[in-house]
Amino acid sequence: MTENAPLRVGIIGDGFMNPGFFRKALEEKLGDRGATYKEMELGWPLSVKSTKKDPNLTIGEFVGRPEDYFEFLSDIDVLVTHLAPITADSFGHAPRLKIIGVSRGGPINIDCVAAAKHGVTVVNAPGRNASAVAEFTIASLLAETRNLVRGHLNVIGGEFKREFYHIDHVGPELCELTIGIVGYGDIGMRVARLAAAFGARIIVSDPFKQLTDEDRALGIEKVELDDLISTADVITLHPRVTPQTRGMIGRAQIERMKRGAYIVNTTRGEVLDYEALYDALKSGHLSGAALDTFNPEPPPADWPLLKLPNVTLSPHIAGASRYSVTKAAAMIAEDVRRLLQGHEPLFPAR
């Protein structure tokens, strides 16, 4: 593919990553390249749910089926997408395809091995929503520890009771807490800096990350996971889901947490044992939890955890911000530009 060749770009967006954001970013980066565009908008997240698992496919977290997009792929050189599933079979229907840009932190819905075999370069958008998730994590922790949601329900229920000012119900301030961050990637690092601004002590556990000079200047400490679990007043979870991290905070780990501690989960439900969490919350061993992700997801309406008074819950929206949309679109568009000009991409899929 040369820079001056006619270029056909296909965009598959949805109600979050709207095709218009992709196209605007691409037009700004590609300039007068002479590209033509075709677009498709999926019904997610309102009318279509994403598929979490399919044992017959090597990909996950997608919308629709691979065959739904075969015709769309048939005449394009570049595919930009968020949730469309691209499998080995897809490439047989995409003879011109050379570039896939997927606006996700990880290209989980793309078969990258098959793409490489067919000479297709895949780029993605790591850290696209790191700031959004980090801010949401701190907001969720504050909401749980300071009775924000419970106070809101109290007021709109016409009660305006004063029990949340009673010493038995008031929560801690972040400045007095040790916050343990499990997983110290883009999101975990931002959580650490936000929490440090509140005066919290920050400890982190991540076998693949080393502290920077900036970390050490902020007083951030790296510890083993077992030490973090037994030391932290708050454990906030930010690892990717891998065979090693799936179920990493189970019953044994929760039982070793400090009495009165909190858990925050804005990553994926698979890293946490929710049955054990329920038992610890109900017994009073843990003071509370702020949860944006679940296992299963969505949780059943009769799930006992949903009935507890000491939880703050949200429907997997930590990464949902307008800035994360524009940032992801810009990252993908820049790498498409670089590839078309014969340069290495900034964010090759890994």
Side-chain angles (χ1 to χ4, degrees):
M1 187 186 304
T2 64
E3 186 176 355
N4 295 320
L7 182 70
R8 181 76 167 157
V9 179
I11 300 173
I12 304 177
D14 50 63
F16 177 56
M17 287 299 309
N18 186 273
F21 287 95
F22 282 132
R23 181 161 181 170
K24 181 175 185 293
L26 287 162
E27 288 177 338
E28 289 175 352
K29 292 292 185 179
L30 301 185
D32 58 358
R33 179 91 170 51
T36 60
Y37 297 86
K38 67 175 182 178
E39 302 175 5
M40 176 186 296
E41 183 171 343
L42 308 182
W44 189 89
L46 298 182
S47 60
V48 177
K49 297 179 180 179
S50 60
T51 300
K52 290 290 183 182
K53 297 176 182 177
D54 184 334
N56 299 312
L57 297 177
T58 60
I59 59 172
E61 294 192 19
F62 52 85
V63 166
R65 300 292 304 175
E67 55 269 24
D68 297 340
Y69 307 98
F70 287 170
E71 182 177 353
F72 187 89
L73 298 173
S74 64
D75 62 348
I76 59 175
D77 305 295
V78 177
L79 170 67
V80 177
T81 187
H82 180 218
L83 291 170
I86 305 299
T87 64
D89 290 342
S90 302
F91 296 102
H93 298 267
R96 295 175 51 170
L97 188 63
K98 293 299 180 184
I99 300 171
I100 297 175
V102 55
S103 59
R104 317 252 326 243
I108 190 170
N109 53 312
I110 311 296
D111 188 330
C112 292
V113 173
K117 289 180 179 177
H118 285 82
V120 177
T121 301
V122 182
V123 297
N124 63 301
R128 59 161 185 158
N129 60 9
S131 178
V133 176
E135 290 181 5
F136 197 95
T137 297
I138 297 297
S140 298
L141 176 57
L142 287 169
E144 173 55 32
T145 57
R146 301 301 301 279
N147 292 311
L148 181 59
V149 176
R150 289 182 282 276
H152 167 79
L153 295 173
N154 180 290
V155 173
I156 66 171
E159 297 181 353
F160 211 86
K161 292 181 179 178
R162 303 295 287 170
E163 67 262 32
F164 295 125
Y165 227 110
H166 192 281
I167 192 61
D168 289 342
H169 298 287
V170 297
E173 297 181 26
L174 300 196
C175 65
E176 61 180 303
L177 300 179
T178 295
I179 296 180
I181 300 173
V182 179
Y184 203 53
D186 289 333
I187 295 171
M189 290 177 65
R190 284 169 170 79
V191 171
R193 280 147 181 74
L194 292 173
F198 283 87
R201 176 193 175 201
I202 311 298
I203 57 177
V204 305
S205 178
D206 189 324
F208 305 105
K209 296 289 184 177
Q210 298 299 320
L211 297 183
T212 65
D213 290 341
E214 182 183 357
D215 291 328
R216 285 184 282 271
L218 291 171
I220 296 169
E221 307 164 56
K222 183 177 178 181
V223 300
E224 295 297 323
L225 180 60
D226 285 347
D227 293 332
L228 182 148
I229 287 169
S230 61
T231 302
D233 300 299
V234 176
I235 294 178
T236 178
L237 304 175
H238 303 287
R240 288 193 179 279
V241 177
T242 67
Q244 292 73 36
T245 63
R246 189 171 281 109
M248 69 184 302
I249 305 298
R251 187 171 298 276
Q253 289 75 27
I254 290 172
E255 289 176 352
R256 291 204 305 273
M257 290 176 65
K258 293 171 66 173
R259 184 169 184 84
Y262 297 82
I263 285 183
V264 181
N265 189 14
T266 55
T267 180
R268 289 293 190 271
E270 289 89 340
V271 303
L272 179 60
D273 183 335
Y274 283 83
E275 183 177 340
L277 176 63
Y278 169 82
D279 291 341
L281 290 167
K282 187 170 178 60
S283 70
H285 176 65
L286 297 184
S287 287
L291 308 171
D292 185 56
T293 57
F294 305 88
N295 188 23
E297 191 168 296
D302 60 351
W303 213 26
L305 185 65
L306 306 186
K307 313 302 179 184
L308 291 176
N310 52 341
V311 293
T312 297
L313 309 174
S314 50
H316 201 154
I317 55 173
S321 75
R322 183 171 290 267
Y323 178 64
S324 67
V325 172
T326 57
K327 181 179 180 181
M331 293 170 72
I332 294 299
E334 171 62 15
D335 264 354
V336 169
R337 182 193 69 79
R338 291 175 66 87
L339 288 165
L340 291 173
Q341 293 181 348
H343 304 304
E344 291 296 314
L346 297 174
F347 306 107
R350 301 187 188 282

